Amino acid sequence: MMPGKKFAPSLDLPIMLDRTAPTSIYRQLCEQLRRAILDGRVSGGTRLPSTRTLAQALGVSRTVTSSAYDELFAEGYLEGRHGSGTYVRTDLPPLPRQTPSLPNTLPRWLEKAPPLVYEASIPPQAIAFRLGIPSLSSLPLRVWRETWGTVTARLPPNSHGPTDGDPTLRAELATYLGRSRGLACTPENILITAGATHALDLVVRATLSVGDCVGMEEPGYPSAQQTVLARGGRLLLVPVDENGMQVERLPHGPAAPLLVYTTPSHQYPLGTRLAVDRRLALLAWAQANDSLIIEDDYDSEFRFDALPLPALASLDEVGRVAYIGTFSKVLTPALRVGYLVAPPQLCERIRQLTYLTDEQVSWPLQQMLADFIARGHLDRHIRHMRYQYAQKRRIVAQTLAPIAHLARLRGLEAGLHVYLELEASISATRVAHLARQRNVIVTPLDPYYLGPPDRSGLLLGYASLEIPEILQGMTVLREIIARVADL
């Protein structure tokens, strides 16, 4: 009979020996050890268990393990070190792992999965105007170390913790959102998530059935679109103009979407802001049609030369808004922490989901962020970055000013990126291709449409770059746009 898998001690290497096979036990052991060495599962310099220890673990005689080792010694795979033991040789040439051949067609269990879109790789040393990537240049390393020091000074709790997030962080967020966005929320209305997209996914899972309709801005945020599609939702595309989502295009009655996802503070990707009258109209529409608004407030902390507009959640008096925020834009995407402010019934439904799936943010990270906010570091960091981003935004505008007749900057009032609208005769894809050849990475607008694009342009995320890089990159882009326009 074929025994179950047994593991070589100190290696966690599964060994399967079949005593009914025509091949001897020692040769089976020898072949499995040889294959593990060649394909890299046991790397050069690894100490192997003694022949006695390995024999006891596998339930075989020591003669079997000694014979296998002797053969591998003779073949040059192993070496002995006096007084230390048996080791895999370190000078073996690497052998590429063999991968199984896969069919060209998708397996049945992936046929219904929607296609996913990933960011293209960025060449080394490129000046990349990436969207949604902030700068950490004004965050002192001393502050970062001190904040983490408060966490590491004590042991973590011996439990999973609340499914909606650490109470200390939720309390600090409630206070912060009250003073920064005018949200009259309590810690009980807040759930900590692994980023903004995770928060959206939780809302979608808690509310949608397969085939339910969700209103989405067009053009819009691809990750949000894919999140809804992956959960079986249908998309109703709502056009966007200079005042944001065209709320009057939303249908009423049975055709009204169950959810409407919007980025009102800095529409993604065009950068427009949803006008106050449209905010009020959207809230009235949601109440009349028993629908939920999902407000993604992803980079509202950064405003320039414009008064802040009230968050939809701050205007909501009847529980029709789920508000999503994130630390990815104010600090760094590497943290993978966001939050959701939602009506009580929705919060309870999502708590049940996270309890079943154990989707919780790690305790040390939550404690660090709570301390970071409580000590005023977050507010100071945002103030510093507003000043820095305003300078960078000014460089973008000044450098592109000579081609204003060919390309118009939009979305300058807020956020970490701008939209450069090109004249209809200028191909954004062509400009982006030529810029990439000169090591400058910009993003065409077209992929953000699910339907036919009604305008042409480029998206420029300037926040993570230093001013000399911005100046150089915008100079290259200006030259290319002028050249393409003359063709």
Side-chain angles (χ1 to χ4, degrees), residues 362-374:
S362 71
W363 176 85
L365 194 52
Q366 293 188 69
Q367 287 288 298
M368 183 278 291
L369 287 171
D371 187 76
F372 193 82
I373 298 171

Side-chain angles (χ1 to χ4, degrees), residues 314-329:
S314 70
L315 299 172
D316 178 28
E317 297 178 351
V318 291
R320 293 291 174 185
V321 178
Y323 177 94
I324 293 175
T326 177
F327 289 98
S328 293
K329 307 301 183 288

Side-chain angles (χ1 to χ4, degrees), residues 371-449:
D371 187 76
F372 193 82
I373 298 171
R375 292 172 181 260
H377 296 317
L378 182 62
D379 291 280
R380 283 190 290 273
H381 180 67
I382 290 173
R383 287 196 300 270
H384 292 157
M385 296 319 298
R386 279 179 185 160
Y387 175 74
Q388 281 199 16
Y389 294 150
Q391 288 183 304
K392 294 177 180 181
R393 180 197 63 153
R394 186 173 62 253
I395 295 299
V396 170
Q398 289 175 349
T399 309
L400 294 177
I403 58 167
H405 60 293
L406 302 174
R408 179 181 176 185
L409 279 173
R410 296 182 179 273
L412 285 168
E413 294 85 2
L416 303 181
H417 77 271
V418 293
Y419 165 52
L420 184 65
E421 188 170 48
L422 301 175
E423 286 294 307
S425 61
I426 301 175
S427 168
T429 303
R430 174 67 173 161
V431 171
H433 175 71
L434 293 174
R436 193 179 185 92
Q437 290 181 344
R438 295 182 61 178
N439 234 16
V440 174
I441 311 299
V442 294
T443 304
L445 178 64
D446 284 9
Y448 291 82
Y449 281 88

